Amino acid sequence: MIDIRNVSKSYSEQGPTVLQDISFDIKKGEVIAILGKSGCGKSTLLNCIGGFEAVNNGQILLDEVSIRKPSKRCIMLMQNYGLLPWRSVRKNVELGIENISLSKQEISERTLHYLRMVGLEDRANALPSELSGGMQQRVAIARALAMQPEVILMDEPFGALDTFTRYYLQDELMQIQRREKMTIVLVTHDIDEAIYLADRILIMKPNPGEIHKEIVLRLPKERNRADADFQHYRELIFNEFQFTHETTIEFNI
Amino acid sequence: MAKVKKLSPIAIGFILLLVFWQFAIFIGGHQSALFPPPLKVGEALLAIISDGSLFAHIQISLFRFFSGYLAAVIVAVILGLLLGRSMLVWKVVDPIVQVLRPVSPIAWSPFIVLWFGIGNMPAIVIIFIAAFFPVLLSTVSAVKKVDRTYLRIASNFEMSPFETLRKIVLPASFPMIANGLHMALGSAWIFLVAGEMVGAQSGLGFLIIDARNSLSLDLVMACIVVIGVLGLALDKGIHYFESWVNRIWGSAK
Ligand SMILES: Nc1ncnc2c1ncn2[C@@H]1O[C@H](COP(=O)(O)OP(=O)(O)OP(=O)(O)O)[C@@H](O)[C@H]1O
Ligand SMILES: [Mg+2]
């Protein structure tokens, strides 16, 4: 579905190469996690896939068509949620579906449907500032889902949340993904999160940003963080990191 | 009780002002015709209140003020939104604005009288000029400061340029624009009197000129008091407007 072919990127002519010769493809309905230490170009890669940044070399194709600018087919979840503070939760979710040909009733039905899905239908009239960080992230997820995109791009979606909220939202996201079958590209530096959510993990290494290794997770969809298999992948990835970096990395269990 | 507490500092301030005023007259031994004492000013004030002429003048002054001010706000906000979004055009327009802005609106009065005649127009045009530049500049800088995240969302959701202005840029920059409206209100009010000294036959500015011509300085002082109090009331009014809009902005539609 998404084809990334020999993509290179630097932010300025003389500047360092941020991404170098990156190639991989993403199949429909797949969950891909991109893992790597800070500054290795994960966000840059995601921005290129979303059409927010132009690539210098190579191309990124969505269903064989080159991505040149952001589109509704591919919704980005922002690192800081990106809710509009002057709009209520309901109006925030409606933001993306106001300008398509839907009747008022269809808009509010769809909005309520997805707010219910993330368990926030009773907070529809609250302002984002009145919600906790985890609730705000759920609103952002509902807003993305309401647009029924084919791809959702997530840049460290749960990075700012405490462990319990993070686990809870990861579960929720898994269930929604299984139901809605959308494709997800997830940037994270939490190894557990990557193993828990992804079908495939791409490990990046910095200077210049390259794909260091691809790990296909042969785990059932229903995962348990205490499983032996889970532990196996955890070690595998951890060793990859020790291999590529001298510096310590963030390691959440 | 709470109301008394809130009122009393204001009351104390005014009482102190009156005491100093009276005191200055005792010490200086000025003639009451040259520096009218509070009591005489109060009498003059009562006289124009009781014959109703004061309210007629206030009414016409407020009409001119709001015509000029609101016209300036509408034009300046719309222009500011467009200019703030287009860096290229703003780079050309900015120097022109910087040259025009420091010129006192009064300096234009010979042209204003030639072009717009006498009556209401000169005062309205002068107030327009006085309010226009602060609103324009604060709108442009507010638009330039709009969080990039919001603009990314707009492009991700495929909003048209007009939709982006209406749904994202205007509300996001609103608090700063409101600040500009507040500042402009004060400076425009300062120019009301000057504006009405140019070819008007009514209004508070005219009343001052008229009273000066007949050497009734107590009446001049009474007008000054009225202008000051009205200015204070306007300032309080826009304060309420600001918090009112901020309150409905969130859940609005
Ligand atoms: N807009 C930009 N202009 C110039 N350089 C940039 C820009 N954004 C990122 N970079 C550079 O590109 C490199 C990769 O940044 P990027 O944000 O993609 O890293 P990341 O892997 O997402 O890091 P983190 O995990 O901290 O979010 C960094 O060296 C950064 O300085
Ligand atoms: Mg990043």
Side-chain angles (χ1 to χ4, degrees):
Chain A
M1 165 164 212
I2 298 179
D3 237 327
I4 293 149
R5 289 190 194 155
N6 309 100
V7 163
S8 298
K9 162 89 188 164
S10 64
Y11 280 98
S12 58
E13 296 267 324
Q14 336 61 318
T17 312
V18 178
L19 300 177
Q20 177 155 299
D21 199 22
I22 290 193
S23 298
F24 61 96
D25 60 348
I26 302 167
K27 289 187 259 320
K28 201 169 169 56
E30 209 177 11
V31 180
I32 302 269
I34 299 172
L35 202 57
K37 78 168 199 178
S38 189
C40 68
K42 305 183 297 290
S43 298
T44 305
L45 178 57
L46 206 65
N47 283 331
C48 291
I49 298 175
F52 295 100
E53 293 283 352
V55 301
N56 299 100
N57 278 309
Q59 49 183 345
I60 301 177
L61 306 172
L62 174 60
D63 285 341
E64 311 301 321
V65 183
S66 178
I67 296 176
R68 302 204 176 280
K69 57 179 186 359
S71 84
K72 286 182 180 180
R73 300 179 61 187
C74 205
I75 296 296
M76 171 84 90
L77 281 184
M78 307 291 167
Q79 221 160 347
N80 45 4
Y81 316 135
L83 299 179
L84 306 182
W86 58 87
R87 280 179 170 240
S88 66
V89 165
R90 180 204 308 276
K91 300 292 294 173
N92 257 291
V93 176
E94 284 176 5
L95 182 69
I97 49 176
E98 280 168 348
N99 58 357
I100 54 177
S101 51
L102 285 178
S103 73
K104 267 208 152 62
Q105 201 194 341
E106 284 170 311
I107 289 177
S108 68
E109 269 169 16
R110 208 200 269 191
T111 301
L112 271 183
H113 173 75
Y114 286 102
L115 275 178
R116 212 172 291 131
M117 192 176 285
V118 297
L120 282 176
E121 73 270 34
D122 53 330
R123 305 305 304 271
N125 294 319
L127 289 175
S129 57
E130 295 162 357
L131 303 180
S132 70
M135 289 172 168
Q136 291 183 29
Q137 183 58 291
R138 277 144 74 192
V139 177
I141 291 172
R143 181 172 72 184
L145 291 173
M147 301 178 71
Q148 301 178 338
E150 293 156 69
V151 184
I152 296 186
L153 307 173
M154 300 184 166
D155 194 347
E156 293 174 30
F158 312 126
L161 305 175
D162 64 274
T163 313
F164 294 108
T165 316
R166 193 158 62 219
Y167 280 5
Y168 175 72
L169 285 184
Q170 287 168 357
D171 276 335
E172 210 163 4
L173 186 66
M174 279 301 272
Q175 281 164 22
I176 292 171
Q177 198 273 335
R178 242 170 287 158
R179 209 172 330 149
E180 307 273 310
K181 303 270 185 289
M182 69 279 189
T183 310
I184 294 181
V185 184
L186 171 88
V187 161
T188 179
H189 43 223
D190 178 345
I191 294 177
D192 266 32
E193 180 168 285
I195 305 173
Y196 194 67
L197 295 175
D199 299 314
R200 204 147 45 103
I201 297 177
L202 301 172
I203 298 176
M204 286 181 71
K205 78 172 187 52
N207 302 321
E210 283 175 322
I211 305 256
H212 170 68
K213 195 174 171 92
E214 179 186 310
I215 295 174
V216 181
L217 294 171
R218 299 184 205 289
L219 289 172
K221 272 282 177 189
E222 205 72 56
R223 289 170 198 182
N224 185 339
R225 292 185 178 83
D227 264 2
D229 281 345
F230 206 98
Q231 185 59 30
H232 160 76
Y233 283 114
R234 203 182 267 151
E235 264 165 33
L236 189 75
I237 294 168
F238 191 62
N239 289 337
E240 285 302 332
F241 271 98
Q242 286 194 316
F243 203 54
T244 49
H245 317 297
E246 270 79 77
T247 46
T248 52
I249 54 150
E250 226 171 291
F251 190 61
N252 287 302
I253 295 184
Chain B
M1 190 62 208
K3 210 160 189 176
V4 175
K5 261 193 189 146
K6 219 175 131 190
L7 264 175
S8 56
I10 301 174
I12 292 172
F14 280 118
I15 290 169
L16 272 179
L17 184 65
L18 286 177
V19 168
F20 271 114
W21 182 356
Q22 189 66 57
F23 199 63
I25 285 162
F26 276 136
I27 297 282
H30 300 289
Q31 273 183 288
S32 73
L34 292 184
F35 190 5
L39 216 59
K40 284 207 71 179
V41 172
E43 276 169 20
L45 196 57
L46 273 181
I48 48 173
I49 289 175
S50 57
D51 73 2
S53 61
L54 178 64
F55 295 107
H57 287 298
I58 288 180
Q59 207 177 354
I60 188 72
S61 280
L62 286 180
F63 163 73
R64 287 171 188 149
F65 178 75
F66 280 111
S67 308
Y69 178 72
L70 291 178
V73 166
I74 293 168
V75 176
V77 168
I78 293 175
L79 263 179
L81 287 175
L82 298 174
L83 289 172
R85 291 285 285 148
S86 154
M87 282 301 108
L88 229 64
V89 183
W90 178 242
K91 281 205 177 112
V92 175
V93 176
D94 187 32
I96 303 173
V97 170
Q98 296 306 341
V99 166
L100 292 178
R101 189 176 63 109
V103 179
S104 165
I106 300 300
W108 296 101
S109 59
F111 292 104
I112 292 170
V113 172
L114 280 178
W115 294 341
F116 297 99
I118 57 169
N120 288 333
M121 276 318 274
I124 293 178
V125 173
I126 283 173
I127 289 163
F128 180 95
I129 298 172
F132 181 78
F133 291 108
V135 176
L136 180 74
L137 289 176
S138 72
T139 306
V140 169
S141 74
V143 169
K144 283 203 272 191
K145 286 206 185 90
V146 169
D147 195 332
R148 268 190 64 237
T149 309
Y150 299 150
L151 298 176
R152 283 167 58 118
I153 291 169
S155 65
N156 202 173
F157 291 9
E158 296 180 30
M159 289 188 192
S160 67
F162 177 68
E163 238 187 320
T164 307
L165 273 188
R166 190 169 66 83
K167 289 185 184 170
I168 305 281
V169 176
L170 179 61
S173 53
F174 186 78
M176 251 183 97
I177 294 178
N179 207 301
L181 296 187
H182 196 152
M183 275 169 30
L185 187 87
S187 56
W189 184 248
I190 290 174
F191 281 100
L192 172 80
V193 174
E196 286 181 336
M197 291 177 174
V198 181
Q201 294 301 312
S202 57
L204 294 168
F206 164 78
L207 197 57
I208 288 186
I209 294 286
D210 200 41
R212 181 203 61 185
N213 290 346
S214 54
L215 287 178
S216 4
L217 290 191
D218 48 352
L219 192 51
V220 172
M221 197 61 105
C223 285
I224 289 174
V225 170
V226 170
I227 290 165
V229 169
L230 281 179
L232 178 72
L234 283 174
D235 191 74
K236 285 269 174 278
I238 198 160
H239 223 92
Y240 283 119
F241 165 77
E242 251 179 290
S243 53
W244 175 72
V245 178
N246 271 337
R247 213 170 45 236
I248 65 158
W249 217 241
S251 54
K253 179 91 187 219

